Amino acid sequence: MTQKIIFSGIQPSGNLHIGNYIGAIRQWVKLQDQMTDRDGNELIFCIVDLHAITVYQEPKILREKIKEVAALYVACGIDPQKAHIFVQSENPDHSCLAWIFDCIIPLGWMKRMTQFKDKSATQKDSTTVGLFNYPALMAADILLYDTTHVPVGEDQRQHIELTRDIAERFNKIFSPTFSLPRPMIDKSAPRIMSLQSPRSKMSKSDKDPGGTVNLLDPPEEIRNKIRRAVTDSGKEIRVGADKPALTNLLTIYAKFSGKSVKEIELMYQGKGYADFKNDLAEVVIAALKPIQQKYQALRQDSAGLEKILDDGRNFAGGKSAKKTKQVRTAVGLGRYTTRK
Ligand code: TYM
């Protein structure tokens, strides 16, 4: 087997929701459980707080959210004995490399990023340079660790393609330094959509809280949100291009129950939306219950959580320092040449 270095991250910019879980964290846990460290495999999961501040975050809340995300990673099944978990801003190599990338990325490449176009359209005058620059920092996160695979939701695909282009460009301009990472996207659930507007993705920054089921939502809230979820015209419970709301709800059902979409469609033949939604709510509540319980226990052990993040920071810093030296030498930065 060839070596796999898995890197991914989530912004602590709001409440983690079932889209983050299905699109990202669930894949991470699966990979972790499939991999051994025998072949030099590594799993690195970051809490990307520098990305979060591309949009204003209340400082006190941000600090809390960083710990919340770390505890949720573990509560969802990331094992700190097998994976390294760290906070992005605690390793300054990320912002240093992002700047170097800024100096080689053609402006046109960045202007093509659809996520920037979408986000900036909603922010208008308050759009920051940081938001524009966001994909360069993401490329730095990934390339600092010789990452081979990046498990993410479909919405991040374009950023990973850009990361590959940046790596190739750097290697060509200076010297071969970076390997090219590949995205890993769960084809059966590339994008979980909002419960209120099923043509837009479920998002931490959704203004309508009814569109998003958060991992830490209490059962009653989950029941309410699912009960109020919009449906499509007609009565049938099936997937289809003409049924975006049902397709989304069935995908969530399948992901949390372990059943296939086909099986679930058969179970609800001839039944109404109310039965389907009641059952879906209970499936989601049952799946989130152990995560919520583990989360509460972890938050009570703050020393334990600190240790996980300290160990993660030390590991990440050690690994990225080597790559940073290589980059500085390649570019000619500083007064000394450094050995690789
Ligand atoms: P973020 O914080 O927006 O989302 C974290 C992860 O969750 C996935 N995701 C979804 N998947 C399915 N359906 C959805 N509705 C949904 N919403 C979010 C995202 O695809 C992502 O995998 N730029 C990244 C964070 C980042 C990163 C990185 C990721 C920074 N550096 C390096 C990988 C590698 C982001 O904003 O994710």
Side-chain angles (χ1 to χ4, degrees):
M1 209 174 96
T2 49
Q3 186 191 24
K4 274 202 179 107
I5 300 177
I6 310 285
F7 184 101
S8 198
I10 298 185
Q11 298 186 62
S13 53
N15 296 320
L16 293 209
H17 52 70
I18 58 171
N20 299 128
Y21 179 70
I22 294 172
I25 307 175
R26 211 165 161 269
Q27 284 205 78
W28 307 354
V29 175
K30 271 198 192 151
L31 282 162
Q32 166 189 280
D33 295 344
Q34 285 161 6
M35 276 171 38
T36 62
D37 54 14
R38 262 205 321 271
D39 308 296
N41 293 329
E42 278 165 3
L43 294 146
I44 310 170
F45 301 118
C46 191
I47 297 140
V48 292
D49 54 348
L50 291 171
H51 277 104
I53 62 162
T54 54
V55 175
Y56 176 75
Q57 306 292 328
E58 185 63 48
K60 265 199 193 134
I61 298 178
L62 178 60
R63 204 160 290 126
E64 251 330 276
K65 287 284 166 199
I66 290 169
K67 290 183 209 147
E68 183 176 306
V69 174
L72 273 171
Y73 282 3
V74 180
C76 288
I78 298 301
D79 177 354
Q81 302 295 327
K82 295 182 179 161
H84 307 279
I85 302 174
F86 77 104
V87 181
Q88 184 188 35
S89 68
E90 292 180 10
N91 183 356
D93 288 341
H94 292 240
S95 20
C96 173
L97 184 58
W99 173 255
I100 294 169
F101 287 161
D102 279 346
C103 300
I104 64 158
I105 302 171
L107 204 54
W109 290 9
M110 296 289 268
K111 283 185 178 162
R112 280 202 293 272
M113 294 297 110
T114 54
Q115 203 163 77
F116 174 75
K117 287 189 212 167
D118 294 346
K119 284 198 182 172
S120 58
T122 61
Q123 295 179 5
K124 306 214 168 65
D125 290 350
S126 56
T127 301
T128 62
V129 175
L131 190 67
F132 182 69
N133 197 35
Y134 180 117
L137 180 59
M138 183 161 161
D141 297 341
I142 296 169
L143 296 176
L144 267 177
Y145 299 95
D146 289 324
T147 302
T148 58
H149 297 84
V150 191
V152 282
E154 173 66 37
D155 61 326
Q156 298 301 318
R157 183 190 292 280
Q158 195 187 31
H159 291 156
I160 297 166
E161 280 161 7
L162 178 77
T163 299
R164 292 171 62 90
D165 291 342
I166 295 170
E168 276 188 313
R169 187 170 169 88
F170 185 100
N171 291 348
K172 207 154 120 201
I173 297 176
F174 300 107
S175 53
T177 306
F178 297 113
S179 41
L180 305 193
R182 277 200 260 145
M184 282 181 122
I185 296 165
D186 179 352
K187 285 193 196 75
S188 62
R191 216 176 260 255
I192 298 300
M193 311 309 268
S194 157
L195 300 189
Q196 286 303 316
S197 42
R199 301 245 179 231
S200 343
K201 72 166 185 179
M202 188 175 282
S203 159
K204 291 187 217 100
S205 52
D206 195 340
K207 298 255 168 352
D208 178 355
T212 309
V213 176
N214 299 316
L215 296 183
L216 296 176
D217 277 348
E220 211 34 55
E221 204 164 326
I222 298 177
R223 282 189 196 104
N224 278 334
K225 286 178 177 175
I226 295 184
R227 205 174 296 135
R228 289 197 303 107
V230 300
T231 45
D232 306 296
S233 54
K235 284 192 185 141
E236 276 170 294
I237 295 170
R238 62 160 173 85
V239 297
D242 56 333
K243 298 240 180 219
L246 262 299
T247 301
N248 190 39
L249 295 176
L250 280 160
T251 305
I252 296 171
Y253 199 133
K255 289 291 153 186
F256 280 115
S257 65
K259 295 190 166 70
S260 72
V261 167
K262 268 268 143 307
E263 270 177 85
I264 304 166
E265 283 176 341
L266 282 173
M267 278 165 54
Y268 291 95
Q269 247 177 14
K271 292 196 179 164
Y273 285 155
D275 283 341
F276 171 69
K277 282 181 167 181
N278 285 339
D279 293 353
L280 171 59
E282 297 315 313
V283 162
V284 174
I285 290 166
L288 294 186
K289 192 172 170 194
I291 294 175
Q292 296 184 347
Q293 283 170 340
K294 194 160 176 202
Y295 172 82
Q296 296 307 341
L298 284 158
R299 285 311 305 266
Q300 269 148 37
D301 175 18
S302 59
L305 201 58
E306 295 290 338
K307 165 107 177 52
I308 293 171
L309 293 175
D310 286 349
D311 289 351
R313 179 197 53 211
N314 295 342
F315 171 84
K319 194 166 160 86
S320 68
K322 290 188 197 126
K323 185 57 77 180
T324 301
K325 260 191 187 177
Q326 213 181 326
V327 170
R328 290 173 63 85
T329 306
V331 177
L333 293 170
R335 288 174 299 149
Y336 313 106
T337 49
T338 44
R339 260 185 268 132
K340 289 185 183 171

